[in-house]
Amino acid sequence: MIDHTSRPVAIELSALTKRFGDMAAVDGVDLQIAEGEFFSMLGPSGSGKTTVLRLIAGFEQPTSGTVSLFGRDVTTVAPFDRDVNTVFQDYALFPHMSVLDNVAYGLRVRGMSRITRHARAREALDRVRLADFADRKPTQLSGGQRQRVALARATVVEPKALLLDEPLGALDLKLREQLQVELKELQRSLGITFIFVTHDQEEALTLSDRIAVFNNGRIEQLGTPAELYERPVSPFVASFVGTSNIFDDAVSLALLGRRGTHSLRPERIGLTVGDTADGITAPGTIAEVIYLGTNTRILVDLDAGQRITVLAPYGRERFSDHDRGARVTASWRDADVISLQSPTTPPTAPSEKTPIEMRSR
Amino acid sequence: MIDHTSRPVAIELSALTKRFGDMAAVDGVDLQIAEGEFFSMLGPSGSGKTTVLRLIAGFEQPTSGTVSLFGRDVTTVAPFDRDVNTVFQDYALFPHMSVLDNVAYGLRVRGMSRITRHARAREALDRVRLADFADRKPTQLSGGQRQRVALARATVVEPKALLLDEPLGALDLKLREQLQVELKELQRSLGITFIFVTHDQEEALTLSDRIAVFNNGRIEQLGTPAELYERPVSPFVASFVGTSNIFDDAVSLALLGRRGTHSLRPERIGLTVGDTADGITAPGTIAEVIYLGTNTRILVDLDAGQRITVLAPYGRERFSDHDRGARVTASWRDADVISLQSPTTPPTAPSEKTPIEMRSR
Amino acid sequence: MTSKAPEADTSTPPTHPARDRVAAPSITLARRASTYLSRHARLRLAVLLSAPLLWLGLVYVAALAALLITALWTVDSFTGQISQTWTLDNIVAVVTGSLYQTVTLRTVGVAILVTIVDIVIALPIAFFMAKVASPRLQRILVIAVLMPLWASYLVKAYAWRSVLSQDGLWDFVVAPFGIESPGYGLPATVITLSYLWLPYVILPIYAGLERVPDSLLEASSDLGARTWRTLGLVVLPMLWPAIIAGSIFSFSLSLGDYITVNIVGGTNQLLGNLVYTNVGAANNLPLAASIALIPIVIMFVYLAAVRRTGALNNL
Amino acid sequence: ACGTTSGSAGPTTAADEVGAGEGQVSILAWPGYVEDGSNDPTVDWVTAFEEDTGCEVTSKTYGTSDEAFSLMKTGEYDVIAASGDASLRLVAAGDVAPVNTDLIPNYDGIYDFLKMQSWNSVDGKSYGIPHGYGANLLMYNTDVVSPAPTSWDVVFDKSSPYAGKITAYDSPIYIADAAVYLMTHQPELGIENPYALDETQLAAAVDLLKGQRANVGEYWSDYLKEIQAFETGDSVVGTTWQVIQNSVTTGNTAVVLPDEGATGWSDTWMIGSEAKNPNCAYEWLNYIASPEANAQATEYFGEAPSNEAACEFRTEGSCEAFNAGDEEFASKLWYWSTPIEKCLDGRTDVTCTDYSQWTAAWSEIKG
Amino acid sequence: MRLGRLSKVTLGAITGLVLALIYVPLLVVLVNSFSTSKNLVWPPPGFTLEWWGKAFRNAGALEALWTSVLVALSSTIIALVLGTLISIALQRYQFFGRDTVSLLVILPIALPGIVTGIALNNAFRTILDLKLTILTVIIAHATFCIVTVFNNVLARLRRMGTNFEEASSDLGAGLWTTFRLVTFPQLRSALFAGGLLAFALSFDEIVVTTFTIGGGVETLPIWILNNLFRPNQAPVVSVIAVVLVVVSVIPIYIAQRIAGSEQTRR
Ligand SMILES: Nc1ncnc2c1ncn2[C@@H]1O[C@H](COP(=O)(O)OP(=O)(O)OP(=O)(O)O)[C@@H](O)[C@H]1O
Ligand SMILES: Nc1ncnc2c1ncn2[C@@H]1O[C@H](COP(=O)(O)OP(=O)(O)OP(=O)(O)O)[C@@H](O)[C@H]1O
Ligand SMILES: NCCCCNCCCN
Ligand SMILES: [Mg+2]
Ligand SMILES: [Mg+2]
C-alpha cells in the first residue's frame, strides 16, 4: 500500500467550488493526492464526484478555488495542456476510427510519425490483451473490451495521472470483478496516480489506497479502506460503506445503556438459539434468512424494537429459511460498537484529527 | 420456500430453440416452472436468458420447440393474447403518459372504464408506495421509483406469471439491495409466478426458489440456491455461482491425491501462519491481501503451483497488506471439496439425477 | 437448528379484495385483425408498404420512366406532335453537342460551388448552435435560420437582384471597403443560390452535430488535441453523413434551377434553362427529356457515391 | 391549309353562329389581359363581361409564348391570347380553330392594318381578333447614352461603348430583331421578312447575335427585370416595350424607333380547336374587342389598343404614348410571326428555318 | 468541449454575422414594401403605406395564399401518412430491396425540380390523360415531401426502439391500439418537424408547380411569378413576403416548443 504522506503531491485541490446556477455541485473541497496513489472517490449519485474529476481534467472551470497538478497551478490551463488523462464512463471511443487509431490518437496529435505511433499503440493494446482487435471498430467490441481500449488510449500517452470515471459502471458483476483486478495490476505496473470514481463501495474498498467519501459536494470522510469501514465518522459513511445497523439515541440507550448514535456491523453480531451468550446481548425473533452462498444474512427483530441485520459466515451455526420466527439472542462486543460523530464538519484527514472511538482488538 | 414439484406447472418449455442466423441463442431448452415459484435465470452476457424470456412473452417466435402457459400451447399466440406480463430491463415506461396512465394502460386496452381503471391503478401504486407520484411523468422519477411503476403496471392486470428481465441491472448497489427485498415481498404477497433474469449471482441466490444457470443457450444446471452453490456440476457453474478455486487433474492429484476436476470455496479454506493445521494442508505464500470490510480476500500462491483465493471472515486471524510474502499454510476439510462432472450433458434437474459428491456436515 | 419456524404464509394463495378479475380485452374486429397480422410478418410488411410503393411507383417511377422513353422519340417540328419513332438522335445530340457540354460544366460548377459555400458557412453556424449556444439561444437560432424559408424564393431572388445592382445595397455598404458588387453573372448566381439553400444545409449539419457526443470532444482534448485538430480529426469525420445530406439539397436544387439564373445570372444559362426552353419552345419534349438525362445521371452517380456514408438516412 | 398536315382533330372551319352561352369560359392569356379585380379591385373588366353574358371566366396566365404553346396543347382552354411567335404554331398544331369574324360585331372597329396579317390568318382564313400591339423599341439611358441613338448599332456593334450594359429580349424570336438590323446593314443577304430566314440568313443573324452576347449584360423576359435594370443603371441600352419606358420612374430613359425599323407584336385572341365553350368564347372575343374593354385591357398592360374607338376610353395621352393608330409608325414594324418552313415572304425555292431551329439557335447563341 | 473564450466569441461572431447577412435581403424586401418605387429599386425613393393597403385588399393574392395553404396542407398530410408507413416498414422489418425503397423515397427530392416537373406533366397529360388541376399539384408535391417526413420519423423510430411497443403488446394491446396509444404519441414531434419542412417545401415550390398546375388555379409562388410580369405589383409581392415571414414564426415556434419539451423529457 502506498503511503501517501511520504510521497510528493500529484494533485492538489484547494477550496475547490463549482456552482451550477444556485446549486454547489462541488463545495469547498480540499484534497491532496500523492504520486502513485490509487485514490477513489466514492459517493451516491449526484454527490459531485464527476464534477471534481472534470475540474481536474479541465473540462469545467471552478467557480472558486484552485487545481494544482504536480506543483503547478493549472486552474486556467486548457485540458489538452494538462498532464492527466481520462477514461470516460461511456469510454468515448471515436466511432469512426479503428481500435488502433483510437489508441494512437493521443500520439498522433503529438505529431508522432505513423509507424512509431502504431507500434506504440500496438504495445499498449498488447498490455490490455487486445492485440488481435486492432483493426476493429469500437462498435464491434464488447463492453469489457471497450473499457480496455479506453484504458490503452489513455495510458499510451504516459500521463502522470489517470482519471477514471466509473469505468466499470456499465459492466456486469463478473466482468467487473475481473477488470478490477486488471485495473489494479495496470496501476501497479505503470506506477502512476489513479483517481477512480465509483459509487460501488465494494469496488472502492477492493482497489484503493485511500478513499474520499462524497456527499452533497463535500468530502464526508477521507481515509484508507479500513479506516472508513471500521471508523466511520457519520451515519452516512457507516451505512454507505458497507451495511451497518444504526442505533439512534433511544435505541442506544435501551441496548447499550448510553446515549448517542451508534453503528454496528452485521458481521460483528453473533446469533445463538435461546438466550445464552457473551458480551452485550439482546433477544429477538428471526424475520428473514437469506442464503448468500458465502454468508447467510439474517434479519432479526429485536424485542427492543429494532430490526437488525446479522451476517453469519460459513462455519458458524447455520440458519435456513425454516428458522423464520425462531427465538434467538444476538450478541456483540462493546468494542465493536462505533460511536458516530455528527457530520457537520467533515475532517479531510480523519485518521489524524478526529477523536473517534477506536476499536480495540 | 415453494416446493415446485407438488404444484401445477405454470410455464413449460419443450425443446425450445431459437436461432439468429447460424447462432443458436437458445438451444433446446426444456423447463417446467411451477405456479407461485420465484424462478431465476442466471448466466453470463449473451447466454440466452433474455431470449428465453422473450420467447415466453411472445416477442420472438421459436425456431423449434414449444411454449406452454398454464397447460395451453401458446407457441404461435401473439404477446397481447398471453397471460403473462413483463417488467423490462429499462422499464419501458411510456414517456408521454403520467405514472397513473402508465399503470392503467393494461386496463385501458381491456376496455375498462376510466374511473374503475384509475381506481385500480391507484391501488396498485399504493402497493408499491407510490400513490403520491401518480401524476408525475416517468422521467421525473428516480430509477428505483421507475422500477416500482413498472412492477405496478405489470401486476395491475393480474397476470398469472410475471417475467422480469434484469429489472435491477441499471441501479446502483445500495438501491439494488433495497429493491431486492421489496421484490421478494411483492412476490410473496401476490403469490404469482416470477421468472427473473439476472447475471448477478448474489441476486439470484438471495431471491430465488430455483435457479437455472445458462451458458451458451443451454441450461447448465438447475436447482435451488444451495444446490447450485454447494453442489455445482461443472467448473462453469462453480465459478459463475460464487468464487471457486478450481483444481484441474494435475493439481488435484498433487493436492488431494486423486484425479479429476475439483472445486473448493474460498471461505472453506483456513489460513494459519507457519505450518500447523488440521485436515488437508498445503503450504504457500501470500500474494495479495484485499480488504473487503466484511471479509478479507487473500490470494495465496501454493507451493504446489496453484494460486488460490481464500476468504477470511471477520474474527479469524486477520491478515493485512503488510503480510504479502508471508509463509502460510492453507487447510480445508476433504468434505468441502466438490468433485465436478464434465458439463457435456447438463441435467435439467441435477438434484435428482446427478451423481455428485455430497458434502457431509 | 432445533427450533422449527412457524409455517410461513407463502404457501397459501394471496387473498385479493373480493372483486372481479381483470377481464381479457374484448374481441373486436381490429383485435382479430391484430391477432391475424401478428402471425404474418410478411403480410404486415405488405400492408405497410403497399400504399407508399404504389404511390411512388405509379406517380414517380412510371413518370420518370415515361420521360426517359420520350427521350427516344422525336417531335414533328411543324405540328409539335410527338411521333413515336425510336431514335437515339436526341441523346446523341445531347451527348455530343458542345453547347450541352459547356452548359453541363457550368451548371455542375455552379452546383459544386454553391454546395461548398453553403457547407463552409453552415459548419461554424451549426457548430455554434449545437455546441456553444445555450438551449434557449439554440431555439432562437433555429427559428432564425428557418424563418427566411418562408419569404418566397422569387422574392428573395429579386431582393438579391436589388442588393447586387449597380449602386445597390452592396455597393452602398461594402464597396467603400473595396469589394465591389460582382454585378449579374455566375458569381451572383452562386451567391443567390447559396443564400436560398443555406437553411436546407444548416439543418442537417446541426442535427448531425447534436448527435456527436460532447464526451468525444472532451476525450480528444483530454488526449492533447487542440480545438482545430479535434475539429479535423473527430468532428468532421463524424459529420460526413450530415454534410452530405445537406449537400444533396444544395447540389440538386442548384442543378435544376433556372429561375435564379434568369434573375441574377446575366447572360448565363444553366441546364434547367435548356430543359425549360425545350419543353416550351417547339414543345420538344423528347429533346428536353434527353437534356434532363444529364442531371439525372449526375444525381444517380452522386447518390451512389454517397450511399455508403449513410447520408441518405440523414436528409 | 397549313393545318391539314397536322393530322390532329381540330376543325379547320369556323363556326357559323353563336348559340346560347355555356355559362363558362376558360381563357389563357398574358398576365394583365384578363383582370377580374382580384389583384387590384380597381382593375376589372371581367366582372362586367360575366354579368353581361352569364359566362363565368376562369383564367390562367403564362410567362412566355412557349409556355402558352404547351399549355394550349392540354385542350383545356377555350380562348387564348397568343402573340405572333405562338399563333402560327398553334394553327399548325391544330390547337386553334379559324374564327368567323362575321360573328363578332366589334371586329369592325379594329384597325385595318392589324387585320388578316401573317400572324393571325392562314390561307385567307382569320384565326382570331387582334388585341393590341406594340413595338420592340430601343430604350436608352439619357444620362449615359449620347448622342441619342437612331440606329440599332448601339446594341449590335461589337465595339459598342455600352458593352456590358446592353440588354436584349430573351427569346428565340429576338433573332428577328437581328434580321431586321441585317436587312439594312447586310442587304446582300436578301432578307425580305425577318421571320422568313433561310439557313444562310439565319446563320448570319446568329453570328451577329453571338457577337452581341459578349456585350450583353443580361437578357430580359419579364419586364420588372428590365425596369429595375434601367433604374439602377445595370442596363443602359436595349430593346424594350413602351410600357417599360412608361414604368421607369427615374426619368432618365427615352425610347426610339430606330431607322432600321423594329419588330413588334400584335396579340391575337384565338379560339381553341377543342373548345368546350365555343359560344362563350365568341362572346369573349367580341367583348374584348369592344372599345371599352379593349381600352381597359391594353392600357393596363401598356400597349396600343386594336380598336380605333378605344382611345376615347383611355386616360388622356395614353394612346399617344403608345403611338396608337399611327400608321406610319406601325408600318415600320415587323410583327412577331412564327417562323415556319414555308417561307412567309413567299419564296418557294428554299425552305425557311422554323421555330424549332430558331430555338436551337437561340440556345447556341446564349451558350 | 471547453472552447477557448476566443473560439466561442469567434464562432458567435460568425453566426451573428451570417444571420445578419441572411436577413439583409429580407430587410430589403421589408423596405421595398414601404417604398414608393414600384420596381424594388434601391435606395428607396420614398415611404408609403399604399402597398400594405393594396395587399390586404388583393383578392387574388389572398386566394392564391389559400390555394397554397390547401396544397401544402394536403400534400403534407399525404406525405405524413405515406412517410410514416414507409419508415415503419424500413425501420422495423428486414426485407429484400430495402435499399431500393429508401432510394426511391429520396429520388423525388434529389432529382432537380424541373425533371420532376416535366416527368409528371408528361405522365399526367399524355399518359394518364388527366386534366391538370389542383389535385395534380397536390400529388406532385406530396411525392417529393414524403422524404422529409420519412427522415424524421425514421430517426425517431430508431431512437425509440421497439421496447415501448413490446411493452404495450405485453399489456394486451393489439397492433392498432399500440400504434394509437404508444407509437403515434411518441412520433408526434417528429411528424410535426417533418410536416413543417414538407409544408415549407410545398409552400414555396415553383418549378414543379408550374408544370403540374391547371388553369384557373394559382398557388402563391405562381401568383408572385405572374405578378412580377404584371405592371405595378412588385411592392405588393414584397408585402406578402414580409407577412409570410412574420407569420411563419408561429408554426416554427410551436415545432420548437414541442421538440424542446421532448428534449428536456428525454
Ligand atoms: N452541467 C451541469 N449543469 C447543471 N448541473 C450539473 C451539471 N453537471 C452536474 N450538475 C449537477 O451537479 C451535481 C453533481 O453532479 P456529478 O455529476 O458531479 O455527480 P456524481 O457524483 O458524478 O453522480 P453520479 O454518480 O450520478 O455520476 C448533480 O446534482 C448534477 O445534477
Ligand atoms: N435479434 C437478434 N438478432 C441476432 N442475434 C441476437 C438477437 N437477439 C439476441 N441475439 C444473440 O443471441 C444471444 C443471446 O442473447 P440474449 O440477449 O438472450 O442474452 P442474455 O443472456 O440476455 O445476455 P445479457 O446478459 O447480455 O442480457 C447473444 O449472442 C445475442 O447476440
Ligand atoms: N425535386 C423537387 C424539389 C423541389 C424543391 N423546391 C424547393 C423550392 C424551394 N424554394
Ligand atoms: Mg458521475
Ligand atoms: Mg439480456
Side-chain angles (χ1 to χ4, degrees), chain C residues 37-74:
Chain C
L37 282 173
S38 68
R39 275 187 220 170
H40 300 87
R42 293 279 118 184
L43 185 63
R44 235 150 55 221
L45 183 61
V47 168
L48 288 171
L49 272 180
S50 49
L53 281 191
L54 266 177
W55 182 286
L56 285 170
L58 281 190
V59 175
Y60 200 69
V61 177
L64 216 53
L67 184 72
L68 299 187
I69 289 170
T70 310
L72 298 170
W73 290 343
T74 48

Side-chain angles (χ1 to χ4, degrees), chain B residues 281-324:
Chain B
T281 58
T285 313
I286 292 184
E288 187 97 58
V289 179
I290 299 158
Y291 181 76
L292 298 177
T294 330
N295 306 299
T296 305
R297 187 188 300 144
I298 303 149
L299 304 186
V300 179
D301 287 329
L302 294 185
D303 296 349
Q306 174 100 349
R307 169 173 289 195
I308 60 168
T309 305
V310 178
L311 202 65
Y314 160 77
R316 291 213 207 153
E317 195 163 355
R318 296 197 94 201
F319 294 89
S320 79
D321 210 45
H322 300 292
D323 297 318
R324 252 192 287 157

Side-chain angles (χ1 to χ4, degrees), chain B residues 199-211:
Chain B
H199 53 229
D200 179 341
Q201 48 102 0
E202 194 172 314
E203 193 165 282
L205 293 177
T206 311
L207 295 172
S208 322
D209 294 326
R210 278 194 308 159
I211 300 170

Side-chain angles (χ1 to χ4, degrees), chain A residues 285-301:
Chain A
T285 312
I286 291 184
E288 187 96 56
V289 180
I290 299 159
Y291 180 76
L292 297 177
T294 330
N295 307 297
T296 305
R297 187 188 301 142
I298 304 149
L299 304 186
V300 178
D301 287 329

Side-chain angles (χ1 to χ4, degrees), chain C residues 171-212:
Chain C
D171 281 349
F172 195 68
V173 178
V174 191
F177 300 99
I179 312 167
E180 292 215 356
S181 161
Y184 304 140
L186 287 184
T189 309
V190 171
I191 291 173
T192 307
L193 288 176
S194 306
Y195 176 79
L196 290 171
W197 313 143
L198 186 61
Y200 292 106
V201 180
I202 293 182
L203 286 182
I205 294 184
Y206 164 69
L209 268 169
E210 281 212 303
R211 287 193 290 263
V212 176

Side-chain angles (χ1 to χ4, degrees), chain C residues 153 197 200 253, chain E residues 108-109 111-113 116 144 201 204-205 208:
Chain C
Y153 164 98
W197 313 143
Y200 292 106
L253 291 174
Chain E
I109 198 81
L111 291 186
T116 305
F144 65 73
L201 271 181
D204 196 23
E205 165 57 45
V208 175

Side-chain angles (χ1 to χ4, degrees), chain C residues 210-278:
Chain C
E210 281 212 303
R211 287 193 290 263
V212 176
D214 287 349
S215 69
L216 291 188
L217 309 186
E218 289 178 352
S220 175
S221 75
D222 184 69
L223 290 162
R226 279 156 202 284
T227 311
W228 280 106
R229 306 246 25 212
T230 301
L231 291 177
L233 294 176
V234 178
V235 178
L236 215 52
M238 291 191 65
L239 213 51
W240 262 128
I243 291 176
I244 286 172
S247 80
I248 288 177
F249 273 101
S250 59
F251 190 76
S252 82
L253 291 174
S254 304
L255 209 56
D257 186 84
Y258 62 88
I259 297 177
T260 296
V261 70
N262 255 341
I263 296 174
V264 297
T267 56
N268 292 287
Q269 57 180 350
L270 300 180
L271 277 175
N273 302 77
L274 289 184
V275 178
Y276 186 74
T277 313
N278 276 293

